[in-house]
Amino acid sequence: MAVAKGIAEQLERASWIRRMFEEGARLKKERGEANIFDFTLGNPEVEPPALTLATLRRVATEGRPHGHGYMPNPGFPEVRAAIADKLRREVGLPFSPEHVCMTSGAAAACNVILKSILDPGDEIILLAPFFAEYPFYVGNHGGRVVVVETDADCLPEVERIAAAITPRTRGIILNTPNNPSGRVYPAALLRDLESMLARLPNPPLCISDEPYKSLVYDGRKVAEVAALISQTAICFSWSKSQALAGERIGFLALSPRLPDWPQMAAACTFANRTLGFVNAPALWQLVMAEAADACVDVAAYQHKRDVLCAGLSTAGYQVNRPEGGYYVFLKTPIPDDVAFVGLLGQAGRAGGSRRRLRPGRLHPAVDDRAA
Amino acid sequence: MAVAKGIAEQLERASWIRRMFEEGARLKKERGEANIFDFTLGNPEVEPPALTLATLRRVATEGRPHGHGYMPNPGFPEVRAAIADKLRREVGLPFSPEHVCMTSGAAAACNVILKSILDPGDEIILLAPFFAEYPFYVGNHGGRVVVVETDADCLPEVERIAAAITPRTRGIILNTPNNPSGRVYPAALLRDLESMLARLPNPPLCISDEPYKSLVYDGRKVAEVAALISQTAICFSWSKSQALAGERIGFLALSPRLPDWPQMAAACTFANRTLGFVNAPALWQLVMAEAADACVDVAAYQHKRDVLCAGLSTAGYQVNRPEGGYYVFLKTPIPDDVAFVGLLGQAGRAGGSRRRLRPGRLHPAVDDRAA
């Protein structure tokens, strides 16, 4: 019983992840654990907020009757109500519980919405640089990825996006703060995007993947994509904001401005069920009914960013100083980034190998969902 | 933004679920809540075992460092070791942690293994009557369902299965105790199946979906599919045995006798990650490292089965007395089961409507994973 051809090909394409680990392990063995710093995975270093942990202890102890059993597939009604309330406050649109489907994190939410809109051969636009898992999510549901480059500051260009849209374009994945660039998309840019999309007869769905929304620095606030772009689905996760990456809890929310949202909500509920998620973990849903707004100490992440960026600048790197998220996206000093990583490995001045994202870029911290 | 054609068609096919709910709600409104008994969903009535709840409280309270963060995608190493140990004891084969991938329940495990073996157009054999979600799981990954009927006692017939196998057959889903028939497949039958499969040049994978394995009655023990059929993948869930259906915790285990199991394990890890599960919920993994063998009181379920079967027999029904699981599969007294359900609804002697599984069968308790 051999594995399917399709997944064998994907494994081959994804093998740089394995090579990165293998190289890191090799270097640690060669030079000692203490001499190799592993920046490869976006696993929260900190513990969840005190409110989250206290709520978890209480929910786990109080024993709500049937609290561990099935609930309606989109989630406990009062949890969905709490999230709708949060979204009304933050986005300023009339979200109801029916717009919200609790999911096993943002990766689940992305797969659920993609399954709901994609027929084979339909297209999804990705803005480079993008989270390396998106192409797999799109491929799961028969979709085709269309990559649109961003400008030198990693900001999307509306004209380029417009030029990439075809009759098969069903969605655009927006990710702000962006992984891996750390760029927060300005409100004006989102407004321009909306102007362009609103002129189309069948505008694609904006899939706003927002796991890093709370992790922004220097007093920034992330512009609410759903407030600025009419046809939006929000994919949210508490993995980063509450350091719960292993627990798989988040939500998918459809904008009340989506004309066919009840039909889309039915499709998402069905996709969430039949993809095998069935529902988001019950216990964590109940925790989030009370702790949805809790957040880790963002100042600590900002401090780490400052230390890392200062060190890299001193070493002579040209650094895209991240405005949010917890990764740093560097410019490689020589055009071939893979060759440069090889040089670094020989010099013994950096840990692990790095992946090629696109020529002229170096990307040391990737793939927060892939261990 | 309309939903995809593919999912719209699936929603249409799945609409009997909605109709069942709507009819139940209508009847409750018409005749009062107390007069309509809802047997439509397999949601555990009981609470999880004391050991499970005590372990949950301790794990939630003790605060293991990074216990809520990412772990390797197939699960915490010590959890996988505990499951491998359990499987060595129960199946009698040399399972190692590398054979085990912790999953968000058995529905996740089924989707993960199906994605790992299916290319578009490949075939999966289902033995009727089968769990109504399987066709959706197969379709998610481009597979084609081939239905093979069972005998009058709902037991598979090896010759019929053999006749249905083609060069595109990649798997057979076995489900014992079977949902919905309640039939436990005898060891001799599984041995005959193995004899037939072992003669094939490329035997299909036996996907053994075992969520009801612990819920068997009258002192029965379920024959271990992986012990009797060489090329087996086990899909397990604690949803039923520990009344944790809403928490989404289970595992996928590859038989050590699968020739290419390391490659298959890599494919499953990748599928688990990229389908959006990423990993099974961390907290519940840690609970299962200690409470994997806990089980609800099976005698209470057996008592309910006895009460229900006695009542149905007294009422004149021909009942397939379930050997396991928590559903009853009846023979409809007139050939058209849907017409009979209509008559029952008018008579006001039963709650809700029922679904048509196949002519001549009546199936009141369906779809345990679909709320």
Side-chain angles (χ1 to χ4, degrees):
Chain A
M1 174 53 53
V3 305
K5 288 188 197 74
I7 205 163
E9 284 164 18
Q10 289 185 311
L11 278 171
E12 187 51 39
R13 272 193 280 149
S15 66
W16 58 265
I17 299 177
R18 283 202 304 280
R19 286 200 301 271
M20 182 167 73
F21 278 118
E22 285 160 13
E23 179 69 359
R26 191 188 67 76
L27 288 173
K28 280 183 187 176
K29 211 167 175 181
E30 182 183 296
R31 299 171 195 180
E33 292 268 342
N35 297 314
I36 301 296
F37 298 88
D38 188 350
F39 292 116
T40 55
L41 281 176
N43 206 2
E45 266 293 302
V46 298
E47 292 299 330
L51 173 64
T52 306
L53 293 176
T55 309
L56 168 64
R57 282 191 296 270
R58 195 176 48 64
V59 171
T61 306
E62 73 187 1
R64 168 194 170 119
H66 297 122
H68 302 292
Y70 288 125
M71 77 296 305
N73 291 149
F76 288 111
E78 73 270 33
V79 178
R80 296 166 76 196
I83 302 310
D85 185 56
K86 173 183 168 72
L87 288 168
R88 277 197 303 274
R89 276 185 279 117
E90 295 179 1
V91 183
L93 290 172
F95 284 91
S96 75
E98 287 68 38
H99 293 100
V100 177
C101 178
M102 302 304 295
T103 61
S104 300
C110 286
N111 272 282
V112 165
I113 189 66
L114 286 168
K115 182 175 174 66
S116 300
I117 62 171
L118 285 176
D119 283 308
D122 283 347
E123 294 166 2
I124 296 290
I125 290 177
L126 300 183
L127 306 170
F130 49 80
F131 178 44
E133 299 289 270
Y134 291 152
F136 299 123
Y137 301 169
V138 173
N140 284 339
H141 314 291
R144 211 171 71 77
V145 164
V146 174
V147 175
V148 173
E149 297 293 325
T150 55
D151 71 12
D153 289 325
C154 296
L155 287 177
E157 294 172 297
V158 172
E159 284 311 304
R160 274 188 164 173
I161 297 173
I165 290 174
T166 77
R168 299 301 301 266
T169 308
R170 297 284 290 160
I172 304 172
I173 300 185
L174 287 192
N175 174 220
T176 167
N178 178 266
N179 176 6
S181 74
R183 188 62 76 212
V184 174
Y185 296 168
L189 192 155
L190 297 173
R191 272 190 211 100
D192 289 350
L193 184 56
E194 166 75 353
S195 299
M196 183 271 285
L197 293 173
R199 284 196 298 269
L200 299 174
N202 291 304
L205 180 68
C206 172
I207 300 169
S208 183
D209 184 28
E210 307 184 354
Y212 297 100
K213 187 179 157 189
S214 312
L215 299 187
V216 283
Y217 309 126
D218 313 312
R220 274 186 190 77
K221 209 181 158 315
V222 178
E224 291 287 349
V225 173
L228 299 171
I229 299 186
S230 304
Q231 306 228 7
T232 292
I234 300 170
C235 299
F236 184 82
S237 168
W238 285 282
S239 288
K240 314 309 195 282
S241 62
Q242 298 199 17
L244 294 171
E247 301 293 3
R248 316 313 306 141
I249 184 70
F251 63 78
L252 172 67
L254 301 176
S255 173
R257 295 195 286 173
L258 266 180
D260 304 316
W261 72 261
Q263 193 202 13
M264 189 66 76
C268 291
T269 295
F270 177 82
N272 194 43
R273 188 186 103 202
T274 55
L275 284 172
F277 300 107
V278 184
N279 54 250
L283 185 68
W284 287 106
Q285 285 192 45
L286 295 174
V287 171
M288 288 310 156
E290 296 174 45
D293 291 334
C295 190
V296 297
D297 178 14
V298 176
Y301 279 116
Q302 182 171 323
H303 175 68
K304 286 182 187 177
R305 177 205 62 172
D306 293 342
V307 169
L308 197 57
C309 287
L312 289 164
S313 294
T314 305
Y317 287 93
Q318 186 180 329
V319 178
N320 264 329
R321 189 178 176 81
E323 299 164 332
Y326 48 32
Y327 22 73
V328 180
F329 194 62
L330 304 175
K331 197 168 173 58
T332 167
I334 61 173
D336 186 336
D337 55 353
V338 174
F340 181 64
V341 166
L343 291 173
L344 278 180
Q346 287 164 33
R349 290 204 186 95
S353 77
R354 287 161 168 104
R355 85 169 269 255
R356 179 171 199 146
L357 244 197
R358 52 179 186 173
R361 292 282 167 85
L362 189 72
H363 176 52
V366 294
D367 220 25
D368 55 295
R369 285 170 199 152
Chain B
M1 173 53 53
V3 305
K5 288 188 198 75
I7 204 163
E9 284 164 18
Q10 289 185 311
L11 277 171
E12 187 52 39
R13 273 193 281 150
S15 67
W16 58 264
I17 299 178
R18 283 203 305 279
R19 286 201 300 271
M20 183 167 72
F21 278 117
E22 286 159 11
E23 179 67 1
R26 192 187 67 76
L27 288 173
K28 281 183 187 176
K29 213 166 173 179
E30 182 183 296
R31 300 173 195 178
E33 292 267 341
N35 297 315
I36 301 296
F37 297 88
D38 188 350
F39 292 116
T40 55
L41 281 176
N43 205 2
E45 266 293 302
V46 299
E47 292 299 330
L51 173 64
T52 306
L53 293 175
T55 309
L56 168 64
R57 282 192 295 270
R58 194 175 48 64
V59 171
T61 306
E62 74 188 0
R64 167 194 169 117
H66 298 120
H68 303 292
Y70 288 126
M71 77 297 304
N73 291 149
F76 288 111
E78 73 271 32
V79 179
R80 295 166 76 198
I83 302 310
D85 185 55
K86 173 184 168 71
L87 289 168
R88 277 197 303 274
R89 276 186 280 117
E90 294 179 1
V91 183
L93 290 172
F95 284 92
S96 75
E98 286 69 37
H99 293 100
V100 177
C101 178
M102 302 304 295
T103 61
S104 300
C110 286
N111 271 282
V112 165
I113 189 68
L114 286 168
K115 182 174 172 66
S116 299
I117 62 171
L118 285 176
D119 283 309
D122 284 347
E123 294 166 2
I124 295 290
I125 290 177
L126 300 182
L127 306 171
F130 49 80
F131 178 44
E133 299 290 90
Y134 290 152
F136 299 124
Y137 300 170
V138 173
N140 284 339
H141 313 292
R144 211 171 71 76
V145 164
V146 174
V147 175
V148 173
E149 296 294 325
T150 54
D151 70 14
D153 289 324
C154 296
L155 287 177
E157 294 171 295
V158 173
E159 285 310 305
R160 274 187 165 174
I161 297 173
I165 290 174
T166 77
R168 299 302 301 268
T169 308
R170 297 284 290 160
I172 304 172
I173 300 187
L174 286 192
N175 174 219
T176 168
N178 178 266
N179 176 5
S181 74
R183 189 61 78 212
V184 174
Y185 296 169
L189 192 155
L190 298 172
R191 274 191 210 101
D192 288 350
L193 185 56
E194 166 73 354
S195 299
M196 183 271 285
L197 293 172
R199 285 196 297 269
L200 300 173
N202 291 305
L205 180 68
C206 171
I207 299 169
S208 183
D209 184 29
E210 307 184 353
Y212 296 101
K213 188 178 155 188
S214 312
L215 299 187
V216 284
Y217 308 126
D218 314 311
R220 274 187 190 76
K221 209 181 158 313
V222 178
E224 290 287 349
V225 173
L228 299 171
I229 300 186
S230 304
Q231 306 227 7
T232 293
I234 299 169
C235 299
F236 184 82
S237 167
W238 285 281
S239 288
K240 313 315 195 279
S241 62
Q242 298 199 16
L244 294 170
E247 301 292 4
R248 316 313 305 142
I249 184 70
F251 63 79
L252 173 67
L254 301 175
S255 173
R257 295 195 286 174
L258 265 180
D260 304 316
W261 72 261
Q263 193 203 11
M264 189 66 76
C268 291
T269 296
F270 177 82
N272 194 43
R273 188 185 104 202
T274 55
L275 283 172
F277 300 106
V278 185
N279 54 250
L283 185 68
W284 287 106
Q285 286 191 44
L286 295 174
V287 171
M288 288 309 156
E290 296 174 46
D293 291 333
C295 190
V296 296
D297 179 14
V298 176
Y301 278 116
Q302 183 172 322
H303 175 67
K304 286 182 187 176
R305 177 205 62 172
D306 293 342
V307 169
L308 198 56
C309 288
L312 289 165
S313 294
T314 304
Y317 288 92
Q318 186 180 326
V319 179
N320 264 328
R321 189 177 175 81
E323 298 164 332
Y326 49 32
Y327 21 73
V328 179
F329 194 61
L330 304 176
K331 197 166 174 59
T332 166
I334 61 173
D336 186 336
D337 55 353
V338 174
F340 181 63
V341 166
L343 290 174
L344 278 181
Q346 288 165 31
R349 291 204 187 94
S353 77
R354 288 162 168 104
R355 83 169 272 253
R356 178 169 201 151
L357 245 198
R358 54 179 185 172
R361 292 281 167 85
L362 189 71
H363 176 54
V366 295
D367 222 24
D368 56 295
R369 286 169 199 153

